[in-house]
Amino acid sequence: MKYVFLFTFLFTVPQYVNAQPKRSLFATYSISTPEPFYHKQLNSGRSYRPLTSHSFGLRYIVKGGKAIALETGLELARLHFRTLRFPIESQVHIINVPVYANITFLEYLFVNGGLLFDAEIKGENAFFDRQTGIGFGLGPGARYSYRNISVFVNPSAERHGFIPLTRKRYEEVRQSLFNPGVKMGIGYSF
């Protein structure tokens, strides 16, 4: 019995000695203007105009040290486009799981970036390739914390489906989506 008590004491007390929160959970919203990115030069083809797109998600951040943290989560992105030749609107819905490194500096600033694991769940009138695959993202940001509540703003750029895991929709040139935007979130640290 005394060994169980000692084991419990050694692994629970250090968590309370350090006053700085180790984990945070954020609800996120982002706004962006995605564009198809062609991997080869096209002679002709459809041209797209990006429409304002949105995504919602959850981010979970676990600190590994004073300045470095692991960031992951789950996000649903709804990306909208319009073809220029014909007034056809396209939508692509992607679920992605980011696996990012999050590096904090100067107390309020951070840079996050890493891999995105994408799964396209819906593509309405989409005239470009499926985005299921591995992508990447990178962006600077600012975070402000008051007690256990934090807010952040994170301009970022993401590239979906860079390494495809599905077949092409069309036999034309391979396309992935480049998605620059701004992510905002509010969270709780525990």
Side-chain angles (χ1 to χ4, degrees):
M1 183 66 179
K2 65 181 177 181
Y3 293 113
V4 173
F5 176 74
L6 180 63
F7 181 80
T8 305
F9 179 79
L10 289 175
F11 285 98
T12 57
V13 170
Q15 292 179 9
Y16 298 107
V17 171
N18 187 0
Q20 190 175 14
K22 293 281 189 185
R23 297 176 297 270
S24 301
L25 184 64
F26 287 90
T28 64
Y29 168 76
S30 67
I31 189 166
S32 63
T33 54
E35 294 196 29
F37 187 88
Y38 300 96
H39 293 264
K40 291 183 183 175
Q41 184 67 31
L42 283 177
N43 293 332
S44 65
R46 288 187 171 83
S47 296
Y48 296 93
R49 189 182 93 192
L51 301 175
T52 302
S53 299
H54 309 275
S55 65
F56 303 91
L58 292 173
R59 292 284 174 110
Y60 181 65
I61 300 174
V62 180
K63 284 194 171 191
K66 192 170 186 174
I68 297 176
L70 172 69
E71 182 177 339
T72 189
L74 186 66
E75 197 168 72
L76 171 63
R78 295 178 179 183
L79 310 177
H80 301 272
F81 306 90
R82 179 177 290 143
T83 57
L84 294 182
R85 288 188 185 172
F86 307 102
I88 298 173
E89 288 195 17
S90 300
Q91 287 187 23
V92 175
H93 297 192
I94 299 172
I95 289 180
N96 67 52
V97 175
V99 179
Y100 282 1
N102 187 312
I103 301 169
T104 302
F105 58 96
L106 298 177
E107 191 174 353
Y108 299 108
L109 303 176
F110 67 90
V111 174
N112 63 350
L115 297 177
L116 290 170
F117 296 94
D118 300 316
E120 182 181 318
I121 56 173
K122 188 177 184 182
E124 296 176 2
N125 301 323
F127 295 106
F128 39 84
D129 293 333
R130 294 186 196 285
Q131 298 303 300
T132 299
I134 300 171
F136 55 89
L138 179 67
R143 178 174 35 242
Y144 177 76
S145 299
Y146 178 74
R147 296 191 183 185
N148 288 355
I149 305 296
S150 298
V151 293
F152 76 86
V153 176
N154 183 204
S156 63
E158 298 174 340
R159 180 96 174 261
H160 297 283
F162 181 68
I163 300 172
L165 297 178
T166 58
R167 290 186 189 174
K168 291 200 254 182
R169 267 195 186 112
Y170 301 101
E171 293 301 319
E172 294 178 12
V173 176
R174 168 82 191 139
Q175 304 151 343
S176 61
L177 294 178
F178 178 69
N179 192 24
V182 176
K183 190 177 304 292
M184 297 157 274
I186 184 167
Y188 182 77
S189 300
F190 49 97

